[in-house]
Amino acid sequence: MALEPKHMQLPIQSQGARRTASCATLESHFDWLYIEFQHFNLACASDRLRNLIPLKTKLSLFVMFAALLSITPVFAQNPQTVTVNFSPLTLLSVTPNVNLSIDGTGVVAGVDQMTTTDQSSRLSWGTNATPMRITVATGLATQKFALKVLPINVSSWGASTVTYQEVTLTIAAQDLLLGVGCSRGYCDLKYTGVALASQGVGLDTHTITFTITN
C-alpha cells in the first residue's frame, strides 16, 4: 500500500522580518543587562562605603547617636531668694466704755460698804513674742472710791496656759494676765466699784490702760 506523503507547513518569514525580530530581542536583552549592571554598581558602592569606614569610627558614631538620644533638655534657671521676716507683734483692744453707778440697788441697810459691778466690756489680745503678760493701771492718782477689775470667761490659744487675778486699780501697773506669750485670746472684764456710806457722794473718772509687755 502506497503511503501518501504528508506535508508540513512551516511559517516562512522574510529576511527583513527576521532581522527586525532579532534586533528587538537583542534590545530587550541589553535593557535587562543595563538594569542589572546598575544594581551591581549600587551594591558594590555600598560595600565599598562600608569598607571605607573604620570600625572605630562606626562605634564612635553609634555612641554619639545614643548620647544624643539620652540627653535631657536643660532650661534656663535663675535662683531667687525670698526672706519672710515676722517682726514681734503685740495687739490689744478693749471695748466698750463702762459706767458704774451705786444707786441703792442691792444695798443692805446697816452695812457701810456698798458695791456695784459691770462685766459688759471685753479685752482681746494677740502676740507672737514670749514671754508676755498684760498689765493694767489707772490714770486717776487720787481716788475717792476703790475700783477693781477681774478677767472672766478667759479664752486663749497659744503655747502656754494663761493665768489671771483680780486687781485693785492704782496708777502703778499691775499684772492682770500672765502667760499670754505667743498666743491670741480674749476675756470679759468684771469691774467692781466699792464705796463706803461714810465717804459720802462723789464721782471718780478713770482712764484705764492695759499694756502687753514682757
Side-chain angles (χ1 to χ4, degrees):
M1 183 172 88
L3 297 175
E4 282 187 17
K6 292 190 178 288
H7 300 283
M8 181 181 295
Q9 293 183 352
L10 297 175
I12 299 174
Q13 295 179 344
S14 65
Q15 185 176 359
R18 287 197 301 272
R19 187 179 297 111
T20 301
S22 297
C23 288
T25 302
L26 287 175
E27 186 176 357
S28 63
H29 284 312
F30 277 118
D31 289 341
W32 177 82
L33 288 174
Y34 177 75
I35 292 171
E36 291 297 321
F37 181 74
Q38 291 297 328
H39 289 171
F40 176 76
N41 284 342
L42 288 174
C44 291
S46 178
D47 290 339
R48 286 196 301 273
L49 182 61
R50 285 196 296 269
N51 292 332
L52 288 175
I53 300 176
L55 178 60
K56 184 177 181 180
T57 302
K58 294 177 183 178
L59 291 175
S60 298
L61 291 174
F62 175 77
V63 171
M64 185 182 300
F65 181 71
L68 288 175
L69 291 179
S70 63
I71 290 176
T72 302
V74 178
F75 301 97
Q77 296 179 344
N78 186 18
Q80 179 187 26
T81 300
V82 178
T83 302
V84 179
N85 183 24
F86 195 10
S87 300
L89 298 177
T90 53
L91 306 173
L92 202 62
S93 69
V94 59
T95 55
N97 294 329
V98 175
N99 292 312
L100 290 173
S101 178
I102 300 176
D103 56 7
T105 304
V107 175
V108 179
V111 176
D112 189 25
Q113 179 174 294
M114 304 175 191
T115 63
T116 184
T117 61
D118 179 277
Q119 53 189 50
S120 63
S121 59
R122 170 164 290 188
L123 173 69
S124 302
W125 71 87
T127 178
N128 62 350
T130 189
M132 301 298 282
R133 57 196 171 95
I134 297 176
T135 63
V136 61
T138 178
L140 185 60
T142 303
Q143 306 174 44
K144 188 171 183 177
F145 311 110
L147 180 62
K148 300 179 180 180
V149 60
L150 171 67
I152 59 174
N153 303 324
V154 178
S155 297
S156 177
W157 298 266
S160 59
T161 301
V162 176
T163 61
Y164 52 90
Q165 62 184 354
E166 186 176 42
V167 172
T168 299
L169 295 170
T170 66
I171 58 173
Q174 302 176 71
D175 292 339
L176 182 66
L177 294 119
L178 301 173
V180 299
C182 293
S183 72
R184 62 182 179 88
Y186 63 85
C187 68
D188 296 325
L189 298 173
K190 180 182 178 181
Y191 285 100
T192 301
V194 181
L196 300 176
S198 57
Q199 291 176 311
V201 296
L203 176 67
D204 283 346
T205 301
H206 295 264
T207 299
I208 309 299
T209 300
F210 298 89
T211 303
I212 184 166
T213 181
N214 57 10

mmCIF file of all heavy atoms in Angstrom, residues 141-165:
data_model
loop_
_atom_site.group_PDB
_atom_site.id
_atom_site.type_symbol
_atom_site.label_atom_id
_atom_site.label_comp_id
_atom_site.label_asym_id
_atom_site.label_seq_id
_atom_site.Cartn_x
_atom_site.Cartn_y
_atom_site.Cartn_z
ATOM 1 N N ALA A 141 -4.891 109.444 139.894
ATOM 2 C CA ALA A 141 -3.979 109.310 141.030
ATOM 3 C C ALA A 141 -4.712 109.351 142.356
ATOM 4 O O ALA A 141 -4.390 108.594 143.282
ATOM 5 C CB ALA A 141 -2.918 110.416 140.971
ATOM 6 N N THR A 142 -5.696 110.276 142.495
ATOM 7 C CA THR A 142 -6.431 110.405 143.750
ATOM 8 C C THR A 142 -7.843 109.861 143.554
ATOM 9 O O THR A 142 -8.624 110.420 142.775
ATOM 10 C CB THR A 142 -6.485 111.875 144.191
ATOM 11 O OG1 THR A 142 -5.156 112.397 144.305
ATOM 12 C CG2 THR A 142 -7.200 112.014 145.511
ATOM 13 N N GLN A 143 -8.131 108.765 144.236
ATOM 14 C CA GLN A 143 -9.439 108.118 144.099
ATOM 15 C C GLN A 143 -10.222 108.238 145.415
ATOM 16 O O GLN A 143 -9.665 108.042 146.493
ATOM 17 C CB GLN A 143 -9.266 106.626 143.749
ATOM 18 C CG GLN A 143 -8.395 106.342 142.529
ATOM 19 C CD GLN A 143 -8.163 104.857 142.334
ATOM 20 O OE1 GLN A 143 -9.086 104.053 142.443
ATOM 21 N NE2 GLN A 143 -6.927 104.487 142.062
ATOM 22 N N LYS A 144 -11.508 108.502 145.285
ATOM 23 C CA LYS A 144 -12.370 108.520 146.466
ATOM 24 C C LYS A 144 -12.940 107.135 146.728
ATOM 25 O O LYS A 144 -13.118 106.727 147.877
ATOM 26 C CB LYS A 144 -13.497 109.532 146.267
ATOM 27 C CG LYS A 144 -14.334 109.761 147.518
ATOM 28 C CD LYS A 144 -15.305 110.924 147.353
ATOM 29 C CE LYS A 144 -16.067 111.170 148.659
ATOM 30 N NZ LYS A 144 -16.983 112.344 148.561
ATOM 31 N N PHE A 145 -13.201 106.411 145.606
ATOM 32 C CA PHE A 145 -13.790 105.073 145.717
ATOM 33 C C PHE A 145 -12.836 104.056 145.073
ATOM 34 O O PHE A 145 -12.126 104.365 144.115
ATOM 35 C CB PHE A 145 -15.152 105.033 145.025
ATOM 36 C CG PHE A 145 -16.057 106.171 145.413
ATOM 37 C CD1 PHE A 145 -16.363 107.167 144.506
ATOM 38 C CD2 PHE A 145 -16.588 106.239 146.698
ATOM 39 C CE1 PHE A 145 -17.194 108.213 144.874
ATOM 40 C CE2 PHE A 145 -17.412 107.289 147.071
ATOM 41 C CZ PHE A 145 -17.720 108.285 146.150
ATOM 42 N N ALA A 146 -12.867 102.878 145.593
ATOM 43 C CA ALA A 146 -11.999 101.820 145.049
ATOM 44 C C ALA A 146 -12.634 101.223 143.792
ATOM 45 O O ALA A 146 -13.863 101.114 143.688
ATOM 46 C CB ALA A 146 -11.772 100.738 146.104
ATOM 47 N N LEU A 147 -11.759 100.850 142.879
ATOM 48 C CA LEU A 147 -12.218 100.199 141.636
ATOM 49 C C LEU A 147 -11.364 98.956 141.396
ATOM 50 O O LEU A 147 -10.121 99.026 141.372
ATOM 51 C CB LEU A 147 -12.096 101.150 140.445
ATOM 52 C CG LEU A 147 -12.537 100.582 139.088
ATOM 53 C CD1 LEU A 147 -14.020 100.196 139.109
ATOM 54 C CD2 LEU A 147 -12.254 101.589 137.967
ATOM 55 N N LYS A 148 -12.041 97.824 141.220
ATOM 56 C CA LYS A 148 -11.347 96.558 140.981
ATOM 57 C C LYS A 148 -11.709 96.034 139.587
ATOM 58 O O LYS A 148 -12.774 96.330 139.066
ATOM 59 C CB LYS A 148 -11.746 95.513 142.031
ATOM 60 C CG LYS A 148 -11.434 95.918 143.469
ATOM 61 C CD LYS A 148 -11.899 94.829 144.444
ATOM 62 C CE LYS A 148 -11.597 95.221 145.880
ATOM 63 N NZ LYS A 148 -12.032 94.173 146.847
ATOM 64 N N VAL A 149 -10.795 95.203 139.028
ATOM 65 C CA VAL A 149 -11.058 94.564 137.738
ATOM 66 C C VAL A 149 -10.606 93.109 137.812
ATOM 67 O O VAL A 149 -9.542 92.789 138.370
ATOM 68 C CB VAL A 149 -10.351 95.310 136.565
ATOM 69 C CG1 VAL A 149 -8.839 95.341 136.738
ATOM 70 C CG2 VAL A 149 -10.734 94.674 135.229
ATOM 71 N N LEU A 150 -11.439 92.224 137.268
ATOM 72 C CA LEU A 150 -11.153 90.784 137.269
ATOM 73 C C LEU A 150 -11.450 90.204 135.884
ATOM 74 O O LEU A 150 -12.558 90.364 135.363
ATOM 75 C CB LEU A 150 -12.019 90.073 138.311
ATOM 76 C CG LEU A 150 -11.988 88.536 138.294
ATOM 77 C CD1 LEU A 150 -10.611 88.026 138.716
ATOM 78 C CD2 LEU A 150 -13.095 87.971 139.185
ATOM 79 N N PRO A 151 -10.475 89.506 135.260
ATOM 80 C CA PRO A 151 -10.754 88.824 133.987
ATOM 81 C C PRO A 151 -11.661 87.620 134.236
ATOM 82 O O PRO A 151 -11.423 86.822 135.147
ATOM 83 C CB PRO A 151 -9.374 88.372 133.498
ATOM 84 C CG PRO A 151 -8.389 89.197 134.269
ATOM 85 C CD PRO A 151 -9.038 89.437 135.598
ATOM 86 N N ILE A 152 -12.705 87.468 133.405
ATOM 87 C CA ILE A 152 -13.595 86.305 133.486
ATOM 88 C C ILE A 152 -13.809 85.761 132.076
ATOM 89 O O ILE A 152 -13.562 86.459 131.077
ATOM 90 C CB ILE A 152 -14.945 86.658 134.141
ATOM 91 C CG1 ILE A 152 -15.665 87.748 133.351
ATOM 92 C CG2 ILE A 152 -14.738 87.097 135.592
ATOM 93 C CD1 ILE A 152 -17.072 88.050 133.847
ATOM 94 N N ASN A 153 -14.275 84.524 131.992
ATOM 95 C CA ASN A 153 -14.526 83.871 130.689
ATOM 96 C C ASN A 153 -13.290 83.953 129.794
ATOM 97 O O ASN A 153 -13.362 84.318 128.621
ATOM 98 C CB ASN A 153 -15.726 84.512 129.983
ATOM 99 C CG ASN A 153 -16.992 84.477 130.830
ATOM 100 O OD1 ASN A 153 -17.236 83.515 131.550
ATOM 101 N ND2 ASN A 153 -17.788 85.540 130.767
ATOM 102 N N VAL A 154 -12.158 83.612 130.373
ATOM 103 C CA VAL A 154 -10.879 83.731 129.652
ATOM 104 C C VAL A 154 -10.755 82.611 128.617
ATOM 105 O O VAL A 154 -10.923 81.427 128.950
ATOM 106 C CB VAL A 154 -9.693 83.699 130.635
ATOM 107 C CG1 VAL A 154 -8.373 83.773 129.866
ATOM 108 C CG2 VAL A 154 -9.813 84.832 131.641
ATOM 109 N N SER A 155 -10.462 82.983 127.395
ATOM 110 C CA SER A 155 -10.215 82.009 126.317
ATOM 111 C C SER A 155 -8.902 82.380 125.636
ATOM 112 O O SER A 155 -8.701 83.543 125.256
ATOM 113 C CB SER A 155 -11.349 82.010 125.298
ATOM 114 O OG SER A 155 -12.569 81.593 125.898
ATOM 115 N N SER A 156 -8.011 81.386 125.474
ATOM 116 C CA SER A 156 -6.694 81.659 124.900
ATOM 117 C C SER A 156 -6.231 80.477 124.066
ATOM 118 O O SER A 156 -6.497 79.325 124.414
ATOM 119 C CB SER A 156 -5.679 81.935 126.022
ATOM 120 O OG SER A 156 -4.385 82.133 125.496
ATOM 121 N N TRP A 157 -5.544 80.777 122.949
ATOM 122 C CA TRP A 157 -4.958 79.759 122.076
ATOM 123 C C TRP A 157 -3.493 80.113 121.911
ATOM 124 O O TRP A 157 -3.153 81.150 121.331
ATOM 125 C CB TRP A 157 -5.638 79.748 120.721
ATOM 126 C CG TRP A 157 -7.097 79.414 120.800
ATOM 127 C CD1 TRP A 157 -7.679 78.185 120.662
ATOM 128 C CD2 TRP A 157 -8.168 80.335 121.039
ATOM 129 N NE1 TRP A 157 -9.034 78.269 120.800
ATOM 130 C CE2 TRP A 157 -9.374 79.578 121.027
ATOM 131 C CE3 TRP A 157 -8.243 81.710 121.266
ATOM 132 C CZ2 TRP A 157 -10.619 80.166 121.237
ATOM 133 C CZ3 TRP A 157 -9.475 82.293 121.482
ATOM 134 C CH2 TRP A 157 -10.653 81.532 121.463
ATOM 135 N N GLY A 158 -2.632 79.280 122.449
ATOM 136 C CA GLY A 158 -1.207 79.583 122.364
ATOM 137 C C GLY A 158 -0.364 78.493 122.962
ATOM 138 O O GLY A 158 -0.821 77.375 123.215
ATOM 139 N N ALA A 159 0.919 78.850 123.183
ATOM 140 C CA ALA A 159 1.893 77.864 123.620
ATOM 141 C C ALA A 159 1.870 77.622 125.125
ATOM 142 O O ALA A 159 2.458 76.652 125.600
ATOM 143 C CB ALA A 159 3.288 78.317 123.197
ATOM 144 N N SER A 160 1.242 78.499 125.889
ATOM 145 C CA SER A 160 1.268 78.348 127.343
ATOM 146 C C SER A 160 -0.125 78.582 127.923
ATOM 147 O O SER A 160 -1.030 79.067 127.244
ATOM 148 C CB SER A 160 2.271 79.328 127.966
ATOM 149 O OG SER A 160 1.919 80.664 127.632
ATOM 150 N N THR A 161 -0.277 78.246 129.191
ATOM 151 C CA THR A 161 -1.545 78.429 129.896
ATOM 152 C C THR A 161 -1.604 79.828 130.494
ATOM 153 O O THR A 161 -0.657 80.280 131.148
ATOM 154 C CB THR A 161 -1.690 77.394 131.021
ATOM 155 O OG1 THR A 161 -1.619 76.081 130.447
ATOM 156 C CG2 THR A 161 -3.016 77.557 131.738
ATOM 157 N N VAL A 162 -2.712 80.508 130.258
ATOM 158 C CA VAL A 162 -2.890 81.867 130.758
ATOM 159 C C VAL A 162 -3.462 81.817 132.168
ATOM 160 O O VAL A 162 -4.441 81.105 132.438
ATOM 161 C CB VAL A 162 -3.811 82.673 129.828
ATOM 162 C CG1 VAL A 162 -4.080 84.060 130.407
ATOM 163 C CG2 VAL A 162 -3.200 82.785 128.443
ATOM 164 N N THR A 163 -2.869 82.567 133.074
ATOM 165 C CA THR A 163 -3.391 82.722 134.432
ATOM 166 C C THR A 163 -3.774 84.181 134.648
ATOM 167 O O THR A 163 -3.295 85.072 133.933
ATOM 168 C CB THR A 163 -2.358 82.286 135.478
ATOM 169 O OG1 THR A 163 -1.183 83.106 135.347
ATOM 170 C CG2 THR A 163 -1.975 80.825 135.282
ATOM 171 N N TYR A 164 -4.626 84.440 135.632
ATOM 172 C CA TYR A 164 -5.128 85.803 135.845
ATOM 173 C C TYR A 164 -5.477 86.002 137.305
ATOM 174 O O TYR A 164 -5.568 85.048 138.092
ATOM 175 C CB TYR A 164 -6.339 86.070 134.960
ATOM 176 C CG TYR A 164 -7.415 85.025 135.069
ATOM 177 C CD1 TYR A 164 -8.448 85.151 136.007
ATOM 178 C CD2 TYR A 164 -7.394 83.894 134.254
ATOM 179 C CE1 TYR A 164 -9.426 84.182 136.118
ATOM 180 C CE2 TYR A 164 -8.376 82.929 134.362
ATOM 181 C CZ TYR A 164 -9.390 83.069 135.295
ATOM 182 O OH TYR A 164 -10.357 82.110 135.413
ATOM 183 N N GLN A 165 -5.703 87.274 137.652
ATOM 184 C CA GLN A 165 -6.021 87.613 139.029
ATOM 185 C C GLN A 165 -6.813 88.928 139.066
ATOM 186 O O GLN A 165 -6.787 89.709 138.111
ATOM 187 C CB GLN A 165 -4.740 87.761 139.860
ATOM 188 C CG GLN A 165 -3.827 88.876 139.382
ATOM 189 C CD GLN A 165 -2.526 88.944 140.166
ATOM 190 O OE1 GLN A 165 -2.343 88.228 141.161
ATOM 191 N NE2 GLN A 165 -1.621 89.793 139.737
#
